[in-house]
Amino acid sequence: MTDILMPALSPTMEEGVLAKWHVKVGDIVSAGDVIAEIETDKATMEVEAVDEGEVIDILVAEGTEGVKVNTPIARLKDEGGAAAPAPAAKTEEAPKAEAAPAKAEAPKAETAVAPAPAAPKSDNGERIFSSPLARRIAAQNGVDLKSIKGTGPHGRIVRRDVEGATQTAGKGAAQPAASTATASATSGIAPRQAQSLAQMGIPDGSYDLIPLDGMKKAVARRMVDSIQNVPHFPLFIDVEIDQLMAVRAKVNKMLEPQGIKVSVNDFVIKAAALALKMVPEANASYTPEGIAMHHNADVSMAVAIDGGLITPIIKKAETKGLAQIATESKDLAKRARERKLKPEEFQGGTFSVSNLGMFGIKQFTSIINEPQGCIMSVGAGEQRPVVKDGQLAVATVMTVTLTCDHRVVDGATGARFLQAFKPLIEDPVAMLA
């Protein structure tokens, strides 16, 4: 028998909530069976078994919060009583927010029907611990498991390890990506030691303490990393949106029978995507190996949800019309608030848009969503005095702030991006073509 461990369902996950069991003691599970639901800092995801076996004990009850990754949550044995491997998360190999873009799509090994090869042995005769799925992928791609270092529980080789070796085959030995911790260590910036409120002179009993959930911890960690490690700077520009509002009214009247309503933010996403294609240097990410120039404008949109923030992605936004962007953004925002997004729907993206205009915020500066090179902050549209042809007039003006990672996007590149973005917003008919 063996312990089934709490899986890591995302690169940043440290703990989660065991929301629901789909099995009970005595059940026989097969590879691919959904055995549990885990709530992470961003979403609720399913966990699948990777082998057959009998559930002999449930160690963590439904609804338990703060379950650390790799904590035993159940016990499983196969029909012969031998140890069975721990389950693989259904979303274990989802795209990672920190991963370099433009990777080849992972092979769809979940649908493979061929049995997994027997567990191989090292040169000294010891068993090499690996999942059946990892062994199948290795066999299909001619990868020697003896050359791979496992990153699963207790050093077990899992799917992502084999795929990483497959993608780097022929390019020399695979090198692990630098972690955030390593980056922080080499940056020379030491994290500030947190102090309790009592140490800062605020007495106990004078406040209510709300514990940090997984999302709050993840957001805090990523924002601290970003503000410490990214040399960022803002660029500001004002855009007039009177024509946009008029065009929006006409478009929405046309789309009303379909139940589609286009928002100002949908126009912003579309204009940003087109501007990124016009100034591709702004559609880039910094990596230790070089600057990654993205092929498509995958625009992340900031959505406030209970307990934090999430950034679902409008993928290939430059190829989509306003109606499609409006439909997708509404669906993504709804499922984000319900915590039903798949990891690939919020991890990744090449550029972010954050809009606080609906709250009346005139102007603000956002923290960069690593590893993206830029984030755009959109303020409220308001009537302001402007000078046109030497005459004072009134126009509806919106302030936009572009925060740039100076390692990727310098001031001139950021300015060229805003120069491309501004006319698209001020004369949006071009986006309807």
Side-chain angles (χ1 to χ4, degrees):
M1 67 185 68
T2 192
D3 287 341
I4 296 175
L5 305 180
M6 181 72 164
L9 302 181
S10 74
T12 60
M13 179 177 169
E14 296 180 356
E15 61 182 34
V17 178
L18 206 161
K20 184 178 182 180
W21 280 108
H22 288 273
V23 295
K24 62 183 182 298
V25 173
D27 285 354
I28 302 297
V29 297
S30 301
D33 288 350
V34 175
I35 62 173
E37 292 181 13
I38 305 295
E39 289 182 8
T40 71
D41 53 1
K42 297 291 186 182
T44 299
M45 289 175 274
E46 296 175 338
V47 176
E48 292 182 352
V50 297
D51 211 345
E52 294 183 354
E54 178 187 352
V55 180
I56 60 171
D57 201 357
I58 300 293
L59 302 176
V60 177
E62 288 186 358
T64 302
E65 300 181 359
V67 183
K68 300 291 186 181
V69 168
N70 291 336
T71 298
I73 58 175
R75 288 199 173 99
L76 186 72
K77 72 173 182 179
D78 62 21
E79 293 181 353
K90 185 175 183 180
T91 55
E92 174 190 16
E93 307 306 324
K96 302 179 181 179
E98 292 80 11
K103 286 186 176 181
E105 184 175 345
K108 305 299 183 181
E110 294 92 334
T111 58
V113 293
K121 294 184 179 181
S122 63
D123 293 335
N124 60 9
E126 294 182 357
R127 177 185 175 189
I128 297 176
F129 290 96
S130 56
S131 72
L133 185 55
R135 296 200 295 272
R136 277 196 292 268
I137 296 175
Q140 292 167 0
N141 292 276
V143 175
D144 185 356
L145 290 178
K146 288 185 283 188
S147 65
I148 299 176
K149 180 177 176 61
T151 62
H154 309 297
R156 191 163 173 260
I157 298 173
V158 293
R159 172 181 171 179
R160 61 174 172 266
D161 303 322
V162 179
E163 290 180 348
T166 301
Q167 291 169 1
T168 56
K171 300 180 182 179
Q175 298 181 357
S179 67
T180 300
T182 303
S184 297
T186 57
S187 69
I189 301 175
R192 182 176 65 86
Q193 196 68 27
Q195 289 183 305
S196 69
L197 293 181
Q199 290 174 310
M200 293 186 283
I202 301 176
D204 290 341
S206 65
Y207 57 87
D208 294 325
L209 187 65
I210 301 174
L212 296 173
D213 60 13
M215 175 172 288
K216 284 288 188 185
K217 290 178 182 178
V219 171
R221 182 172 58 249
R222 284 180 56 81
M223 293 301 98
V224 169
D225 289 343
S226 179
I227 206 72
Q228 286 184 338
N229 299 328
V230 178
H232 57 278
F233 67 94
L235 297 173
F236 307 94
I237 195 170
D238 290 337
V239 295
E240 296 183 15
I241 60 170
D242 290 291
Q243 288 193 52
L244 184 150
M245 300 304 289
V247 169
R248 174 177 176 254
K250 292 180 180 178
V251 169
N252 282 338
K253 187 173 182 179
M254 293 170 54
L255 295 175
E256 187 175 2
Q258 303 174 44
I260 299 173
K261 188 174 183 179
V262 179
S263 69
V264 171
N265 205 54
D266 297 326
F267 278 90
V268 170
I269 290 172
K270 177 66 174 180
L274 293 176
L276 288 172
K277 298 303 290 183
M278 296 165 67
V279 187
E281 297 87 351
N283 194 33
S285 298
Y286 175 84
T287 78
E289 294 78 27
I291 305 301
M293 305 293 293
H294 301 294
H295 298 164
N296 298 108
D298 295 337
V299 181
S300 303
M301 58 176 194
V303 176
I305 63 177
D306 288 342
L309 185 75
I310 195 168
T311 51
I313 306 164
I314 304 293
K315 297 183 178 180
K316 298 183 179 180
E318 78 279 7
T319 67
K320 296 174 180 177
L322 287 166
Q324 186 176 358
I325 290 174
T327 301
E328 287 189 20
S329 63
K330 182 178 180 181
D331 171 66
L332 287 169
K334 178 178 182 294
R335 289 191 291 114
R337 296 185 181 102
E338 296 171 348
R339 300 203 178 199
K340 292 183 178 179
L341 291 177
K342 301 174 183 177
E344 60 267 28
E345 293 177 315
F346 62 83
Q347 292 179 353
T350 67
F351 183 94
S352 287
V353 171
S354 180
N355 192 335
L356 293 178
M358 66 286 295
F359 297 104
I361 302 301
K362 180 178 178 179
Q363 177 179 313
F364 67 105
T365 303
S366 299
I367 299 175
I368 286 176
N369 183 17
E370 288 190 277
Q372 298 172 11
C374 298
I375 184 170
M376 175 179 284
S377 310
V378 182
E382 60 178 2
Q383 289 195 326
R384 302 181 198 171
V386 297
V387 177
K388 294 184 178 182
D389 299 324
Q391 300 293 319
L392 188 64
V394 176
T396 306
V397 179
M398 183 173 73
T399 298
V400 172
T401 306
L402 184 71
T403 306
C404 308
D405 179 348
H406 209 300
R407 299 170 300 177
V408 183
V409 179
D410 59 23
T413 301
R416 287 193 295 112
F417 169 82
L418 290 175
Q419 284 181 331
F421 174 81
K422 181 180 173 72
L424 291 169
I425 286 292
E426 294 190 333
D427 186 13
V429 173
M431 290 191 282
L432 303 179

